[in-house]
Amino acid sequence: MARMKLKELESHLQQVEEFDEPKILLEQYPTRPHIAACMIHTIASTYGDIEDRSILDLGCGCGVLSIGSVMLGAGHVTGVDIDVSALDTAQQNIEDFDIDNVDLVNLDVREVDNVLRRGLFDVAIMNPPFGTKHNKGLDMLFLEKGLKLASRAVYSLHKTSTREHVLKKAESWGAKPQVLAELRYDLPSTYKHHKKASVDIQVDFIRFEVPR
Amino acid sequence: MKLLTHNMLTSKNMKTVTTGYPLIIQARDVKVMEVEFRAEFISRMIPKIDWECLCRAAEDLGHLNDLPKSVPDNYENDEDFLKKAHHVMLEVEVINGDLICPESSRKFPVTDGIPNMLLNEDEI
């Protein structure tokens, strides 16, 4: 299954339905199909961290990373999100793709490591809110929780402009960070306040090895 | 919500709760479906889950069948056992119902297969 080509995965993920009415305060942007495909494909083929693994999708939104993981042979994916309407969209996507090994849980990332018992996930994957609107540092909270729940590695996206801070923080937590790629995240105008047709953000795709 | 997911959930996010595990299932609708069997995944997952909790939950839902109460030695090579574990972990789903905290009796609703573990402000 990890043999599915990157382009093929990307084209499947283009069919994933996005947020009906994205909420600004939760910083809801769908993970672009080319970014999601690049992430999942790398995690699977370079690190063997998808096939037959137990995966946590932190802040799963519409479920694009979860669906991508299943397509490349994940054992089971647990997708969690604070927003029930995002989860409803994810649920619809899961049904449309005829997927049967993703479960969704409505919870707050601040409490995720109390709600979910430890030691049950090999890997945590995420495209966290970058922490712009009123949520400064939220991506670091997502990362911190991911590191507590995953036993092998956490894979995440962070703004390239914050790289130094992210790497330093991760190291202080005992995680071994590695920037795998720099990606251009093209965000099409999602909210009314976006003046341009689309905005490009430079993001780092980072692998954090969990301290043993 | 599959029983594998139920195995992961606690109500320990509540400030008055010490362990909050296992959550008691009160199911209204249960679905059984066929899920592709992946021996490697099931084999890896078994040592990580709480086997007793899994059996108890399966029993409460009437799906225990002949699942052994304890994990046999050499389970990794026992395909028969792995298939039974797979069935209980992944093929039995609670669609609607409640999960009840064993300490506080607080109910967490499961709707359309999705458990809602969000707390009110005074419970955190």
Side-chain angles (χ1 to χ4, degrees):
Chain A
M1 277 226 203
R3 271 150 233 143
M4 185 191 285
K5 293 215 165 69
L6 176 59
K7 277 284 163 223
E8 197 185 333
L9 179 61
E10 185 182 330
S11 98
H12 283 304
L13 294 182
Q14 275 160 1
Q15 309 306 313
V16 174
E17 282 292 323
E18 302 179 347
F19 295 102
D20 233 349
E21 280 167 15
K23 301 181 172 76
I24 296 186
L25 285 179
L26 295 178
E27 223 190 284
Q28 289 178 336
Y29 295 109
T31 303
R32 308 295 284 134
H34 73 277
I35 293 192
C38 168
M39 285 174 76
I40 303 298
H41 198 268
T42 304
I43 299 170
S45 48
T46 309
Y47 295 98
D49 271 342
I50 295 286
E51 198 168 347
D52 291 324
R53 298 287 182 198
S54 168
I55 297 177
L56 175 64
D57 183 355
L58 255 180
C60 65
C62 305
V64 65
L65 291 178
S66 295
I67 290 170
S69 299
V70 166
M71 287 184 159
L72 293 194
H76 185 260
V77 182
T78 307
V80 307
D81 205 284
I82 196 172
D83 181 27
V84 72
S85 37
L87 290 175
D88 286 343
T89 306
Q91 187 80 292
Q92 194 55 59
N93 279 320
I94 287 164
E95 276 165 37
D96 291 345
F97 277 80
D98 207 15
I99 276 168
D100 53 20
N101 52 350
V102 178
D103 252 353
L104 303 171
V105 182
N106 192 195
L107 56 74
D108 187 330
V109 71
R110 279 174 291 235
E111 296 151 18
V112 68
D113 54 334
N114 277 325
V115 174
L116 297 177
R117 292 193 306 122
R118 307 206 179 183
L120 290 158
F121 303 101
D122 295 305
V123 156
I125 56 177
M126 61 187 86
N127 177 12
F130 292 145
T132 49
K133 277 286 149 229
H134 298 278
N135 295 323
K136 278 231 147 9
L138 196 48
D139 60 338
M140 297 313 288
L141 177 68
F142 271 71
L143 175 59
E144 192 185 355
K145 298 298 183 184
L147 288 168
K148 286 189 173 154
L149 291 167
S151 56
R152 290 170 64 89
V154 175
Y155 295 88
S156 182
L157 295 177
H158 299 270
K159 291 204 285 196
T160 303
S161 57
T162 64
R163 182 187 297 181
E164 205 183 307
H165 168 71
V166 173
L167 297 187
K168 206 158 144 198
K169 219 44 222 211
E171 275 157 12
S172 78
W173 290 329
K176 287 210 205 91
Q178 194 189 351
V179 178
L180 302 181
E182 256 182 54
L183 303 168
R184 182 157 258 124
Y185 198 136
D186 57 316
L187 284 175
S189 171
T190 314
Y191 302 124
K192 281 203 271 284
H193 72 269
H194 284 173
K195 294 192 186 68
K196 300 195 205 153
S198 86
V199 152
D200 275 5
I201 299 184
Q202 201 74 14
V203 296
D204 287 342
F205 172 35
I206 309 180
R207 176 181 202 263
F208 301 87
E209 195 165 294
V210 172
R212 296 298 165 106
Chain B
M1 181 196 68
K2 299 170 195 290
L3 292 188
L4 172 60
T5 303
H6 167 259
N7 205 275
M8 301 174 174
L9 297 174
T10 90
S11 52
K12 224 177 102 171
N13 49 338
M14 295 182 71
K15 66 179 175 213
T16 57
V17 166
T18 322
T19 316
Y21 187 82
L23 299 176
I24 301 154
I25 306 177
Q26 218 170 53
R28 284 190 294 281
D29 304 298
V30 176
K31 196 168 81 174
V32 178
M33 48 199 268
E34 222 178 283
V35 174
E36 192 194 334
F37 172 64
R38 304 185 73 102
E40 181 66 30
F41 167 69
I42 298 295
S43 192
R44 282 174 179 172
M45 209 62 215
I46 284 169
K48 296 177 183 160
I49 60 173
D50 184 321
W51 189 257
E52 202 186 305
C53 166
L54 182 72
C55 289
R56 176 82 147 310
E59 196 167 20
D60 286 349
L61 295 183
H63 281 273
L64 183 61
N65 301 329
D66 52 353
L67 187 74
K69 291 277 174 129
S70 58
V71 180
D73 292 325
N74 199 26
Y75 64 89
E76 297 105 318
N77 299 313
D78 187 345
E79 186 161 300
D80 201 53
F81 169 75
L82 291 179
K83 285 201 164 139
K84 288 184 177 146
H86 159 84
H87 173 71
V88 169
M89 280 162 65
L90 297 181
E91 295 190 326
V92 180
E93 272 203 56
V94 177
I95 305 298
N96 290 301
D98 289 291
L99 301 175
I100 306 172
C101 170
E103 287 169 48
S104 67
S105 299
R106 203 258 203 211
K107 289 187 178 184
F108 295 91
V110 179
T111 316
D112 277 337
I114 304 176
N116 180 353
M117 305 305 293
L118 293 175
L119 297 177
N120 305 318
E121 268 189 40
D122 56 339
E123 292 172 308
I124 297 173

